[in-house]
Amino acid sequence: MSQTPAETVRGFLAALRRGDIDGALAAVSRSVVANLHPLRVRGGGREDLRRLLASTVTAFPDLFLTEKHLLELGRVVVVELKMEGTQAADYLGIVNQEKHIDLDQAWRLTVDAGSITGFDLYWCQNQLYRRLAVKRLDEVAIVGGAA
């Protein structure tokens, strides 16, 4: 009996929660199209997804993923989740300051024949920066005093 798209995605998430990158990627097609929007990766592949997942598990060894909503729409599964953990290594160019993160995310996954063939990932980059104590990048810092 084949899995539903939602069951395939839940299996992917369960492996990721265990820190099992290979187990998670077992549910992902070798020809997956990965759009990792906050990272400006469009039309990426399985290795782009592997790098992100491995970086996440390494940087947050106490990774906790909470599935807030999961909606199956035919072969498309939309998941709203929260990623939590304490930073233990640099992450996506952000220096480790051992800060706790709670980052809301939305994933849109396309599943064909029991394999994830499309992966669209979204999160607010400013929320990530705030949680990991990165100085705001959208404002110019004013240095010095009045003359």
Side-chain angles (χ1 to χ4, degrees), residues 93-147:
I94 301 171
V95 175
N96 177 23
Q97 297 183 65
E98 299 180 1
K99 297 289 184 181
H100 180 78
I101 188 172
D102 61 300
L103 182 64
D104 298 314
Q105 299 186 13
W107 297 2
R108 180 186 183 276
L109 301 102
T110 304
V111 179
D112 290 306
S115 192
I116 298 169
T117 58
F119 197 103
D120 287 271
L121 176 128
Y122 304 89
W123 71 65
C124 175
Q125 195 68 6
N126 280 332
Q127 183 185 24
L128 174 68
Y129 291 152
R130 283 192 312 271
R131 298 300 192 263
L132 297 181
V134 174
K135 182 180 171 226
R136 288 183 60 163
L137 301 177
D138 60 344
E139 291 183 0
V140 176
I142 299 172
V143 181

Side-chain angles (χ1 to χ4, degrees), residues 70-85:
L70 185 141
L71 181 61
E72 182 178 348
L73 304 164
R75 60 190 197 108
V76 173
V77 178
V78 178
V79 182
E80 179 187 359
L81 54 86
K82 182 177 289 285
M83 179 180 101
E84 296 179 86

Side-chain angles (χ1 to χ4, degrees), residues 20-122:
D20 181 3
I21 302 304
D22 290 332
L25 289 173
V28 176
S29 168
R30 296 207 180 279
S31 59
V32 68
V33 176
N35 298 305
L36 313 173
H37 297 281
L39 305 178
R40 296 191 171 123
V41 173
R42 307 287 189 279
R46 199 165 195 256
E47 286 309 307
D48 295 300
L49 187 55
R50 176 185 289 282
R51 276 191 295 276
L52 173 62
L53 298 178
S55 176
T56 301
V57 167
T58 299
F60 302 98
D62 61 345
L63 180 67
F64 189 74
L65 296 174
T66 303
E67 178 185 309
K68 296 166 83 173
H69 299 285
L70 185 141
L71 181 61
E72 182 178 348
L73 304 164
R75 60 190 197 108
V76 173
V77 178
V78 178
V79 182
E80 179 187 359
L81 54 86
K82 182 177 289 285
M83 179 180 101
E84 296 179 86
T86 304
Q87 190 179 11
D90 293 357
Y91 184 62
L92 304 177
I94 301 171
V95 175
N96 177 23
Q97 297 183 65
E98 299 180 1
K99 297 289 184 181
H100 180 78
I101 188 172
D102 61 300
L103 182 64
D104 298 314
Q105 299 186 13
W107 297 2
R108 180 186 183 276
L109 301 102
T110 304
V111 179
D112 290 306
S115 192
I116 298 169
T117 58
F119 197 103
D120 287 271
L121 176 128
Y122 304 89

